Amino acid sequence: MARMQQKKLDQGWVACRATEVELTGEELSTPANFPIKGSSEGWIEAVVPGTVLTTLLKNEKIPDPFYGLNNEEVPDIADVGPDYYTFWFCNQFDLPTLVENGKAWLLFRAINYQAEVFVNGHKEVLSKGMFLRHRLDITNWLNKDGSNYLAVKVHPPDHPGHIPPEGGQGGDHDIAKDVAAQYVQGWDWICAIRDRNTGIWDEVSVSNTGSVRISDPHLVATFDEAYTNATLFSSMELISTKPLPTNVTVMVNVSIDMEEDGICLIEHLATQEIVLNADATILYPFPPLHFVKPKLWWPNGMGDQPLYKVEITVTVDGEGESDTWSRLFGFRHITSYIDSSTNGRKFEVNGEPLFIRGGNWIVSDGLLRLSEDRYNTDVGFHADMNLNMIRVWGGALAERPEFYNACDKRGILVWQEFWITGDCNGRGVEPSDPQWPLDHDLFLKCAWDTVKLLRNHASLALWVGGNEQQPADDINDALTLGLALHSRNDNPSLCLDGTRAYIKGSLWEGFAAGNGLFRDGPYGIQVPERFFQENYYPYAFNPEIGNVGVPVAATIRATMPPEAWDPPQILDGEIPNPTWFYHKFIPYSDEQNLVPGQIESYGVPEGLDDFCEKAQLVNYVQYRALIEGWNSWMWTHYTGMLIWKTQNPWPGLRGQMYDHLLDQTGAFFGIRCAAEPIHVQLNLLTYSIEAINTRKDHLLGFSVKATMYDIEGAIVYTNTIEHLTLPAYMTVSVGKVPLFESPNTQPVYFVLLKLLNSSGALVSRNFYWVHPTPGSYALLSGAFREQKVHIKTSTRVQLTGRLSYSISIYVENPSKERGDQQKDAGVGDVRDGVAFGLQFSVRNVNSKAQDNRILPVTYSHNWFSLVPGEALTVEVLFVLPDTKAHPKLLLRGWNVSEISIAL
């Protein structure tokens, strides 16, 4: 019986610049000439999957292009020519013995941009295109002794372009002539990637099958109106390489793991016998499978994400098992349409409306150092922020299956764009051409292959032709037709896709103005109160709205040299040093739009640490107000919004909820608070208390407790609003806080809102510091900051794995007399008041590095405040980098002395 196996080739690669290699590919891929790292001149250890730059960086042939101004020292392909980044990549591999009539395959999941492949002296030239899978039949090329030699010559994009002195959106736009990622020529949030991401940037593997192979199965679920019964349609290409007709058995097995007991329950197991003609390829529709009350997959915040395992096996008479395929599949139905009351696109999942609060995504790393762990962290952070959608921007990638796997598991819907941008494709500074790329057939070839790669993911919600532009008419027409359900609706799995909408561009058909006009943005600092104005954004769904994003000081020090540690000068606005400017710093003030300095509102910053700490307070306020402003007008004016951006592909200084090193900013927790499915908030414009319910349950018996504190921490107002009803999918005003009602009102108040359910349990907590527009928080400096509030902590540590920690920290701001506090703290200058701006970090006490943070870390709360007498339990999860690391927790605060907690 054939044993189907697939082996990743992610180790053992060597590389060399092609101009330094005199041998041909036929020669390199033979035992006598195969290069070996160290013993073959010029050959170095290679990173595959990876790019030329990641290989050069690993071997210290270039400085880290993401550190400081190092990118300026890395040769740009426009200056040195394409040969400089044309590289050979070589490896050896073994393959299990093939059965009679069996086949061996070499698979590349993506290469940028074109490659010549040699296996044991045999050559194959691959198609151009960054987003295309390649499968080579290498059966007749294998060596009988089992040792096989692989050489791949990788060429950069045909049109890597030049970078104008002023930079520009997509450089000189030449990269758009190819079917490739456009961000590599630089944007206003990233500098140019010098090799344009040339390399074997995605997975390489070898596999074996019998004489019949399965290709690109398609799974589609349909439902009755009540979503209590489902039908699973499936189809697949069956490819026979046998010279005679073949009897084939196709088996589809659908099961789900029950988490509570670990038992795998078989939901369906069905087989069909068919006959394949000699050397035939057919699209085979498997008979539909019927499910009663399947567990439904829901977006984050609406429910759980159960995933069924679907296995397809093909057995050939006389051979046994010939090929297998398996994926996790979620039963769900996604639709979207233009809402008649708002003229915005409205999404529904399983018949329930979904208010979109999400983020724009570039790539997890600008050098394409992609990994499953990184994807899980990135997507997990979005889910932890209570977001429900990620838009994969058109100037970047067709994201990888591991990214989609993470989104499936965490309930993050994905808006996937094809590789078109307004800047490069006809709407930017010339040259910019709507007919690019030059090869339309190649674009569609990559598009169809991408659809087949990704279409079975529950999280994939929307195809979009491009960013702020639609593809050329013939491409757009083909996508519109190819991604429509059209005539085969009796078996939707026979369509290319047909289960999700295709929209021609991000500014059309219910997004922004809906007609292609540039009506996304703005992209800078705002007066927080403005987000609550009804006409702040005049359309229902904003696909891009951006803001600031300076990280914590430790990240600045880790990504820039000491001479760049000076924060921006506060003159007429904020003037960054050259390194901050190079890393795309965006100011925290905007005189043109009448936004006074939001950092200076807390007092003129004194050094890097002070600037970055104040930046986190501003980050928190800005992004919380952004989400809460949209909450306030949910369905009555807005249907959704996507933040520009929620992550950064390099150490940039704008638009990020967490930095490139994976440390979270204050913005992360402002969004996490505001995007709760059930939430209480203060309307900063009217001081109304608003309760938001984005779920389908009609909630009864809720209450809101509102408490105001003065700068000293004394209660000046408190009120409990009881017997509240929170209708499903609605924002309701439940009361008002009497703020700033007379000229003599204190300039700064703290406001604590708590939403309690009918049992008295806390459902939502929200803490504000408020001042009349435009906001001045100078009172939070000086004595307020210098007189420390004493905090108590107790910690419970649990090891969930050899290097995995789960920590619960009980943090209390005890309400005591000053003398008792001084006695407990052992210090002379403490007070009873609000503990403001508390932030945890995890450190490695055994590390001697300047940056000894352990990252990433998941926190249930951070950048939070506690009123007198209040306590919170903070959950902290992290994994040590190695067995030598030893963690400790640091707790810092605006007006709290540092606390070190040994673990």
Side-chain angles (χ1 to χ4, degrees):
M1 173 179 262
R3 303 300 302 171
M4 302 306 104
Q5 295 189 18
Q6 182 165 331
K7 177 184 178 181
K8 291 183 182 179
L9 299 183
D10 56 3
Q11 301 292 325
W13 290 86
V14 293
C16 188
R17 185 169 286 112
T19 54
E20 300 174 8
V21 179
E22 296 181 355
L23 298 175
T24 66
E26 288 87 352
E27 292 169 327
L28 283 172
S29 59
T30 59
N33 297 304
F34 188 78
I36 301 173
K37 174 193 166 188
S39 61
S40 301
E41 185 175 355
W43 291 87
I44 56 178
E45 184 178 353
V47 179
V48 176
T51 65
V52 172
L53 282 189
T54 57
T55 287
L56 294 175
L57 181 59
K58 180 180 179 64
N59 291 274
E60 299 181 346
K61 301 294 185 181
I62 58 170
D64 182 353
F66 286 179
Y67 183 83
L69 298 176
N70 283 354
N71 197 48
E72 291 298 290
E73 300 177 31
V74 180
D76 192 85
I77 192 171
D79 302 321
V80 295
D83 286 351
Y84 190 85
Y85 288 113
T86 301
F87 266 65
W88 281 106
F89 293 87
C90 296
N91 206 346
Q92 293 176 262
F93 65 91
D94 298 325
L95 198 70
T97 303
L98 297 178
V99 297
E100 184 179 357
N101 299 318
K103 289 289 183 178
W105 310 92
L106 174 63
L107 303 100
F108 296 90
R109 209 165 63 180
I111 292 179
N112 189 29
Y113 184 66
Q114 187 181 27
E116 303 158 46
V117 178
F118 299 84
V119 178
N120 298 330
H122 300 272
K123 180 180 180 180
E124 183 80 16
V125 178
L126 303 184
S127 169
K128 296 178 181 180
M130 187 175 181
F131 311 109
L132 197 61
R133 293 173 294 170
H134 308 275
R135 177 186 288 269
L136 281 65
D137 182 351
I138 59 173
T139 309
N140 296 328
W141 300 353
L142 298 179
N143 287 329
K144 293 182 180 180
D145 65 1
S147 296
N148 300 282
Y149 300 89
L150 170 64
V152 185
K153 188 178 185 180
V154 180
H155 300 266
D158 293 341
H159 302 90
H162 290 74
I163 313 303
E166 68 276 11
Q169 307 293 83
D172 66 359
H173 305 153
D174 228 33
I175 192 71
K177 294 177 180 177
D178 297 329
V179 185
Q182 297 180 11
Y183 78 92
V184 293
Q185 278 201 257
W187 233 264
D188 59 3
W189 37 264
I190 194 171
C191 286
I193 307 297
R194 300 307 191 184
D195 68 347
R196 308 296 190 264
N197 284 159
T198 299
I200 308 173
W201 66 275
D202 199 7
E203 178 182 295
V204 185
S205 61
V206 290
S207 70
N208 67 309
T209 68
S211 61
V212 176
R213 177 169 62 87
I214 302 168
S215 179
D216 293 321
H218 188 196
L219 310 174
V220 179
T222 62
F223 302 85
D224 63 8
E225 291 185 0
Y227 292 92
T228 55
N229 296 288
T231 301
L232 179 63
F233 293 91
S234 60
S235 65
M236 65 215 72
E237 281 192 345
L238 297 177
I239 303 167
S240 174
T241 59
K242 214 168 184 179
L244 298 172
T246 304
N247 293 320
V248 173
T249 300
V250 182
M251 179 172 67
V252 174
N253 181 6
V254 183
S255 62
I256 186 168
D257 291 323
M258 304 299 290
E259 293 183 359
E260 59 267 23
D261 54 17
I263 298 174
C264 182
L265 299 180
I266 296 176
E267 296 287 341
H268 273 291
L269 179 61
T271 61
Q272 287 286 306
E273 294 183 359
I274 62 173
V275 176
L276 276 181
N277 291 331
D279 297 317
T281 297
I282 67 168
L283 180 60
Y284 172 64
F286 196 85
L289 302 176
H290 301 285
F291 291 76
V292 177
K293 295 183 179 179
K295 298 176 184 296
L296 296 181
W297 184 97
W298 294 95
N300 187 39
M302 292 185 76
D304 296 330
Q305 295 80 41
L307 295 170
Y308 288 72
K309 184 177 183 180
V310 179
E311 288 186 314
I312 300 174
T313 303
V314 172
T315 303
V316 176
D317 279 5
E319 291 182 14
E321 185 180 289
S322 185
D323 199 6
T324 62
W325 178 94
S326 67
R327 292 292 185 277
L328 294 177
F329 178 79
F331 281 89
R332 60 94 183 100
H333 177 69
I334 294 176
T335 188
S336 65
Y337 56 90
I338 297 178
D339 175 46
S340 59
S341 63
T342 62
N343 291 320
R345 185 155 292 271
K346 188 174 183 178
F347 286 81
E348 291 185 356
V349 180
N350 303 330
E352 303 293 340
L354 177 65
F355 190 61
I356 298 295
R357 295 173 295 192
N360 282 268
W361 169 280
I362 312 303
V363 293
S364 66
D365 178 74
L367 298 184
L368 300 190
R369 293 169 289 193
L370 311 179
S371 71
E372 185 174 7
D373 285 346
R374 176 84 187 206
Y375 277 138
N376 286 335
T377 298
D378 277 311
V379 173
F381 278 179
H382 283 75
D384 290 343
M385 283 187 282
N386 294 309
L387 299 179
N388 53 31
M389 179 176 277
I390 288 175
R391 173 194 175 206
V392 181
W393 176 72
L397 304 181
E399 265 302 351
R400 301 297 87 194
E402 290 78 11
F403 166 83
Y404 276 91
N405 291 341
C407 291
D408 289 346
K409 293 174 183 176
R410 295 303 303 267
I412 302 296
L413 297 182
V414 183
W415 156 338
Q416 176 71 60
E417 287 180 359
F418 296 107
W419 318 287
I420 298 291
T421 68
D423 298 273
C424 296
N425 292 88
R427 308 185 82 187
V429 176
E430 294 184 353
S432 177
D433 196 324
Q435 293 303 309
W436 291 346
L438 299 177
D439 190 336
H440 291 195
D441 288 339
L442 177 60
F443 185 97
L444 288 171
K445 184 179 180 181
C446 290
W448 303 145
D449 197 59
T450 295
V451 171
K452 291 178 180 179
L453 177 67
L454 303 176
R455 62 189 176 184
N456 292 315
H457 287 280
S459 54
L460 179 56
L462 192 69
W463 299 109
V464 178
N467 163 64
E468 299 177 333
Q469 176 63 307
Q470 65 185 72
D473 288 345
D474 60 318
I475 295 177
N476 185 61
D477 289 346
L479 291 171
T480 301
L481 180 63
L483 294 174
L485 189 59
H486 55 84
S487 62
R488 285 177 164 175
N489 54 11
D490 57 322
N491 185 345
S493 74
L494 293 174
C495 300
L496 181 65
D497 189 357
T499 70
R500 47 186 67 86
Y502 167 73
I503 305 297
K504 63 183 178 182
S506 66
L507 300 177
W508 282 264
E509 301 178 65
F511 299 119
N515 55 7
L517 295 176
F518 286 102
R519 295 293 186 268
D520 43 5
Y523 298 92
I525 193 76
Q526 300 288 304
V527 173
E529 289 85 345
R530 293 178 187 168
F531 289 118
F532 294 84
Q533 296 172 348
E534 181 176 7
N535 293 314
Y536 169 77
Y537 182 70
Y539 310 103
F541 196 119
N542 194 338
E544 296 183 13
I545 178 168
N547 215 301
V548 292
V550 166
V552 298
T555 292
I556 298 293
R557 293 190 174 97
T559 57
M560 297 180 185
E563 59 267 25
W565 292 352
D566 292 329
Q569 293 181 317
I570 309 298
L571 297 172
D572 292 331
E574 296 161 11
I575 303 175
N577 65 54
T579 306
W580 284 48
F581 180 82
Y582 192 81
H583 284 255
K584 312 298 185 179
F585 169 75
I586 186 171
Y588 281 69
S589 62
D590 184 353
E591 292 185 6
Q592 181 178 353
N593 291 302
L594 303 178
V595 184
Q598 298 296 288
I599 285 181
E600 300 94 281
S601 70
Y602 295 90
V604 176
E606 300 176 359
L608 177 66
D609 291 279
D610 190 37
F611 184 94
C612 290
E613 185 173 12
K614 288 172 178 173
Q616 303 321 307
L617 298 177
V618 179
N619 293 344
Y620 187 103
V621 169
Q622 285 285 308
Y623 286 98
R624 178 179 62 178
L626 168 59
I627 297 288
E628 290 186 338
W630 251 256
N631 291 345
S632 190
W633 296 100
M634 180 175 69
W635 306 132
T636 58
H637 187 75
Y638 296 135
T639 60
M641 52 80 66
L642 301 172
I643 296 168
W644 183 266
K645 315 177 284 7
T646 40
Q647 53 83 233
N648 233 325
W650 80 311
L653 299 179
R654 63 169 64 193
Q656 57 186 349
M657 309 304 102
Y658 55 94
D659 60 45
H660 190 252
L661 303 183
L662 298 177
D663 201 355
Q664 299 151 343
T665 71
F668 184 103
F669 297 95
I671 290 176
R672 181 186 178 108
C673 171
E676 295 171 313
I678 303 170
H679 179 63
V680 64
Q681 66 183 41
L682 180 67
N683 186 310
L684 297 180
L685 197 64
T686 65
Y687 306 129
S688 294
I689 301 170
E690 297 170 341
I692 294 88
N693 180 10
T694 64
R695 287 181 167 168
K696 63 181 179 180
D697 298 321
H698 193 76
L699 305 176
L700 303 174
F702 273 57
S703 61
V704 170
K705 183 176 182 180
T707 310
M708 289 170 50
Y709 299 81
D710 65 17
I711 197 72
E712 298 298 326
I715 295 175
V716 296
Y717 171 84
T718 185
N719 184 31
T720 300
I721 308 162
E722 298 181 311
H723 310 300
L724 297 176
T725 297
L726 306 187
Y729 312 120
M730 190 174 291
T731 296
V732 294
S733 179
V734 300
K736 195 169 184 178
V737 173
L739 283 166
F740 314 123
E741 294 186 343
S742 73
N744 297 321
T745 302
Q746 178 175 310
V748 175
Y749 284 113
F750 299 112
V751 178
L752 178 63
L753 302 179
K754 291 185 176 183
L755 178 66
L756 309 174
N757 65 15
S758 57
S759 301
L762 182 66
V763 175
S764 175
R765 174 191 182 274
N766 210 341
F767 178 85
Y768 296 83
W769 49 107
V770 289
H771 180 280
T773 303
S776 173
Y777 300 101
L779 284 179
L780 298 182
S781 297
F784 176 84
R785 195 175 188 185
E786 293 166 1
Q787 295 180 3
K788 305 300 182 184
V789 173
H790 176 54
I791 291 294
K792 288 185 174 181
T793 64
S794 60
T795 306
R796 180 176 61 84
V797 179
Q798 181 181 359
L799 280 171
T800 57
R802 191 166 67 99
L803 300 175
S804 302
Y805 279 73
S806 175
I807 303 173
S808 293
I809 311 122
Y810 182 78
V811 187
E812 182 183 9
N813 179 8
S815 179
K816 292 186 175 182
E817 296 297 327
R818 176 169 300 199
D820 292 337
Q821 283 199 6
Q822 291 173 335
K823 182 178 179 181
D824 290 348
V827 294
D829 193 17
V830 297
R831 65 187 182 92
D832 184 16
V834 173
F836 187 67
L838 300 171
Q839 184 242 343
F840 279 105
S841 61
V842 183
R843 305 301 177 97
N844 179 7
V845 297
N846 289 344
S847 172
K848 296 180 180 178
Q850 171 190 275
D851 183 12
N852 67 347
R853 289 173 297 173
I854 292 174
L855 296 171
V857 182
T858 298
Y859 302 93
S860 63
H861 301 82
N862 225 355
W863 296 105
F864 61 99
S865 302
L866 292 175
V867 300
E870 190 182 23
L872 279 178
T873 297
V874 180
E875 305 293 339
V876 181
L877 303 173
F878 61 90
V879 177
L880 295 182
D882 52 56
T883 55
K884 297 180 181 179
H886 188 76
K888 73 172 179 180
L889 278 169
L890 286 184
L891 175 60
R892 292 174 171 170
W894 181 266
N895 60 344
V896 173
S897 298
E898 181 176 290
I899 299 172
S900 179
I901 304 172
L903 302 176

